């Protein structure tokens, strides 16, 4: 909170810089989709190609940038999948976490508790030109038993299941909604239900799935609280103080560059209509005739300005510590000012720990998203019924690396027989070498070795 007069404070983008730098280091230089076993199995290789084609068509990397920015800034992000009959593939959407209302099981004590019912809800503003009233729209995904007590064999499972996922898309007039009430407790009798492109009314529509096609990604490792934390949460007070100090510094610089001047012992021009002295404006080259006892004095605020600038720098140093972003990452230290490469590497210690923790929070989320994509392809008949290989997203390097050392290490490891080609290529990818497809690179290396032999 900026408090009284907060709207007049100067904010020079420190919060945005923290979000941008945290996001870029979290995602790394590259994001590579990898399917386990693609190097040795042709069918798995085809599955990897299918997923990569889907990721390119759905612009997964761009959507990740948008979604992960929400996670870093707000603490969480939401991915939603749906099968599109017209496009013949799963479609991906991202949602603001403020629209996410999970109904968590009673007594849920850890992050493994997956909700059986999830709401996505937001207000739709009124449109006076058409006479449309403001409404509350709520999209609900709910797991429940198949109607009539039946069972279903899903393409990705070998055992029949009695569970399916129901979709409800409803709207309520805002004047009929208790805004302080529970989103989950809205009465369906007052709702108007929407329809999909096929004309089906979305009131407990059976999606033919045994899972909710929604993935909640927390920014930090979460537990019983379910939600993650914003990367700005720990620095909120510092950012407020920094904005206040920047505002005071700007005001002090204005009085230093255009100081307050006091005149005595001279006659000022007089307004003939009122008889009052006219205000004096200071301009370059202006000369004031002073009498025998005339004096000119100024208010010097340069000392206060220097103190304020030193205070701002101390706040930025503390901001670097609290956010675990070293000064070299925030751009407040020139590379030439770093005493040594070892000292620079040590300064990345807090950043390394933070990024590892944030990636750990996402370690199971993106494989879950890609598993859902494969299941939706099976539901659409594009992929045959069977077990799905594990697919994941590998985030690239986020710290400066010595590529010469990494290349030497990979070559020596393969020659000594202590590293496989796959591990060596992975080391090169993490070091920032321009390798787009690790599996294809391994195949090329093997062909080169076989040709040379």
């Amino acid at each position: 909170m900026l408090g009284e007069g907060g709207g007049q404070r100067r904010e020079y983008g420190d919060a945005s810089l923290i979000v941008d730098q945290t996001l870029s280091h979290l995602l790394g230089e590259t994001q590579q989709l990898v399917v386990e076993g693609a190097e040795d199995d042709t069918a798995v290789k085809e599955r990897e190609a299918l997923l990569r084609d889907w990721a390119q068509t759905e612009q997964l990397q761009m959507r990740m940038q948008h979604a992960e920015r929400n996670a870093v800034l707000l603490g969480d992000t939401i991915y939603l999948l749906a099968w599109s009959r017209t496009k013949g593939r799963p479609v991906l959407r991202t949602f603001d976490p403020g629209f996410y209302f999970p109904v968590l099981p009673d007594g849920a004590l850890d992050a493994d508790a997956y909700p059986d019912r999830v709401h996505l809800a937001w207000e739709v503003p009124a449109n006076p030109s058409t006479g449309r009233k403001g409404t509350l729209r709520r999209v609900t995904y709910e797991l429940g038993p198949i109607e009539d007590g039946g069972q279903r064999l899903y393409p990705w499972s070998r055992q029949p299941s009695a569970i399916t996922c129901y979709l409800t898309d409803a709207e309520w007039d805002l004047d009929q909604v208790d805004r302080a009430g529970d989103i989950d407790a809205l009465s369906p009798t007052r709702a108007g239900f929407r329809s999909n492109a096929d004309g089906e009314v979305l009131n407990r529509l059976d999606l033919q799935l045994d899972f909710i096609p929604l993935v909640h990604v927390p920014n930090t490792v979460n537990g019983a609280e379910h939600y993650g934390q914003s990367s700005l949460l720990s620095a909120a007070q510092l950012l407020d103080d920094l904005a206040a100090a920047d505002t005071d510094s700007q005001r002090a610089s204005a009085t230093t560059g255009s100081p307050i001047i006091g005149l005595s012992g001279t006659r000022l021009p007089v307004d003939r209509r009122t008889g009052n002295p006219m205000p004096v404006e200071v301009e370059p080259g202006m000369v004031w005739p002073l009498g025998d006892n005339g004096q000119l004095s100024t208010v010097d605020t340069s000392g206060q300005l220097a103190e304020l600038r030193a205070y701002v720098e101390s706040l930025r140093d503390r901001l670097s510590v609290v956010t675990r972003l070293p000064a070299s990452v925030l751009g407040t230290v020139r590379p030439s000012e770093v005493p040594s490469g070892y000292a620079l590497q040590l300064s990345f210690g807090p950043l390394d720990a933070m990024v590892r923790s944030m990636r750990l929070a996402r370690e199971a989320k993106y494989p879950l998203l890609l598993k859902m994509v494969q299941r939706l392809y099976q539901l659409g008949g594009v992929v045959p019924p069977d077990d799905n290989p594990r697919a994941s997203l590998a985030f690239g390097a986020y710290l400066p690396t010595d590529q010469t050392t990494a290349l030497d290490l990979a070559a020596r490891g393969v020659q000594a027989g202590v590293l496989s080609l796959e591990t060596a290529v992975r080391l090169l990818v993490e070091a920032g070498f321009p390798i787009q497809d690790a599996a294809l690179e391994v195949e090329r290396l093997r062909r080169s070795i076989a040709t040379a032999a």
Side-chain angles (χ1 to χ4, degrees), residues 129-211:
S129 62
T130 61
R132 175 184 171 87
K133 295 182 178 180
T135 60
L136 173 67
R137 183 177 176 185
R138 190 188 73 180
V139 181
T140 302
Y141 292 86
E142 181 178 6
L143 293 178
I146 298 175
E147 295 181 357
D148 300 329
Q151 290 188 337
R152 183 178 299 145
L153 183 63
Y154 293 101
W156 49 84
S157 178
R158 299 180 182 179
Q159 299 293 332
S161 173
I163 300 297
T164 190
C165 181
Y166 295 101
L167 169 63
T168 302
D169 191 347
E171 284 185 302
W172 288 262
D173 289 340
L174 286 178
D175 54 5
Q176 299 177 354
V177 174
D178 179 9
R179 300 196 182 191
D182 187 1
I183 290 292
D184 189 50
L186 296 175
S187 173
T189 57
R190 296 183 177 182
F193 298 97
R194 299 170 68 95
S195 301
N196 61 13
D198 298 324
E200 298 172 309
V201 178
L202 300 179
N203 182 13
R204 288 184 60 83
L205 178 67
D206 190 348
L207 296 181
Q208 306 287 318
L209 303 171
D210 62 349
F211 60 91

Side-chain angles (χ1 to χ4, degrees), residues 84-107:
S84 173
R85 296 178 183 176
T86 56
K87 296 181 179 179
R89 68 171 188 271
V91 291
L92 179 66
R93 291 187 62 187
T94 60
F95 277 87
D96 187 293
F99 301 158
Y100 172 63
F101 299 91
V103 182
L104 299 173
D106 294 336

